[in-house]
Amino acid sequence: MTAVASSDSAATSQAEVTAEIEAIAASYAAADRAETQPRLDYPPYRSSLLRHPTKALQQADPEGVELWSPVFGERDVDPREADLTIQHTGEPIGERMVVTGRVVDGDGRPVRNQLVEIWQANAAGRYIHQRDQHPAPLDPHFTGMGRCLTDADGGYRFTTIKPGPYPWRNHRNAWRPAHIHFSLFGTELTQRLVTQMYFPGDPLFALDPIYQSIVDPAARSRLVASYDHDLTEPEWCTGYRWDIVLTGAHRTLMETDTEVAG
Ligand SMILES: [Fe+2]
């Protein structure tokens, strides 16, 4: 019987995981082929080993209703839901920031009235989630969830707090790069996209098995937002820009595992 690593792989060191990441990266570079989606079977991502599919998915014809675009009435999404800093009676702690961009299809056409949902840790790297009990403070003024609809140009915009990096138990001393989780629906209900947006220059990129499970460097770099000083507002907030391409060769990568704690 083949030994399968426990999902609690705390005995493995970062150095061992980093060595595995580097070995896979080297074999990918030597293979000289384009592989732009996250690997389902990516051993450095210990906690996915028992969760990822091991067989081809069963193909099923979608029901007719599943091929309709989701309809999100204007009444359902309040514009204030796009501001994660005003959901409570006081100001959350941390770096106030704006993140904005366009959702486009593979031909660069705007995807309008798209529901964009985000969730994230607070500035201290803590989620409001029963499985996140690490000793960083919760912020009573920050829940970490927001949503909006894209406008006529496919644009979305959130005001939030820059999330902190946080530890997870993939291996000993494992830390996720700061990120914001995004969910979008495509032109039909079968096209939900769940992914993560990262911040430029994060020192944890090379160490993170989730980020590195996209073995193509150019492909994974498309998950990194750009700092945009024109979006930064004096005395108020910093600004980041991140565009999302739903289809085509430059599409934003799909995350097949949508667990919040990841
Ligand atoms: Fe996360």
Side-chain angles (χ1 to χ4, degrees):
M1 178 178 164
T2 306
V4 177
S6 162
S7 61
D8 182 5
S9 301
T12 311
S13 70
Q14 178 69 59
E16 291 170 284
V17 168
T18 300
E20 292 176 29
I21 289 171
E22 291 174 349
I24 293 169
S27 69
Y28 172 70
D32 191 28
R33 57 191 161 85
E35 184 185 325
T36 59
Q37 290 294 310
R39 284 193 181 177
L40 296 179
D41 187 0
Y42 189 74
Y45 185 176
R46 294 285 193 273
S47 54
S48 75
L49 291 184
L50 297 175
R51 286 189 274 125
H52 75 76
T54 56
K55 298 184 174 68
L57 296 178
Q58 290 284 339
Q59 297 295 325
D61 290 332
E63 303 270 336
V65 68
E66 295 175 276
L67 295 178
W68 298 343
S69 176
V71 177
F72 303 105
E74 291 289 343
R75 282 180 305 172
D76 292 333
V77 182
D78 188 304
R80 288 173 296 186
E81 293 180 71
D83 188 341
L84 284 72
T85 69
I86 59 169
Q87 295 175 347
H88 299 275
T89 55
E91 289 266 8
I93 296 293
E95 176 185 328
R96 188 186 296 112
M97 56 165 277
V98 161
V99 57
T100 187
R102 293 179 72 222
V103 182
V104 297
D105 68 17
D107 297 317
R109 297 173 297 200
V111 182
R112 304 181 175 96
N113 290 319
Q114 182 89 171
L115 180 68
V116 182
E117 301 167 291
I118 64 170
W119 62 97
Q120 62 167 97
N122 68 21
R126 179 86 187 264
Y127 283 104
I128 299 177
H129 192 283
Q130 62 180 6
R131 285 183 57 187
D132 185 355
Q133 298 293 334
H134 86 280
L138 291 172
D139 186 335
H141 300 308
F142 191 75
T143 302
M145 290 186 286
R147 59 180 189 159
C148 72
L149 295 176
T150 56
D151 61 22
D153 194 38
Y156 74 87
R157 182 184 177 96
F158 291 101
T159 300
T160 186
I161 296 293
K162 189 174 181 183
Y166 60 81
W168 60 311
R169 292 179 178 168
N170 185 70
H171 54 276
R172 187 157 51 81
N173 209 15
W175 289 77
R176 297 289 339 275
H179 58 273
I180 297 177
H181 296 264
F182 273 71
S183 164
L184 302 96
F185 285 95
T187 55
E188 52 193 56
L189 283 165
T190 58
Q191 292 181 334
R192 187 183 182 203
L193 166 69
V194 177
T195 188
Q196 300 180 23
M197 185 206 90
Y198 297 88
F199 293 87
D202 197 308
L204 293 166
F205 284 155
L207 309 182
D208 180 41
I210 294 182
Y211 182 69
Q212 296 292 334
S213 71
I214 305 152
V215 294
D216 186 84
R220 65 176 176 257
S221 73
R222 291 197 285 271
L223 298 182
V224 182
S226 301
Y227 172 73
D228 187 337
H229 202 62
D230 291 331
L231 289 171
T232 293
E233 299 178 28
E235 318 300 322
W236 185 246
C237 68
T238 54
Y240 291 87
R241 183 173 298 280
W242 190 53
D243 294 331
I244 299 166
V245 183
L246 290 179
T247 56
H250 298 290
R251 67 187 179 276
T252 303
L253 302 165
M254 282 204 188
E255 181 182 282
T256 52
D257 185 328
T258 60
E259 187 182 45
V260 172

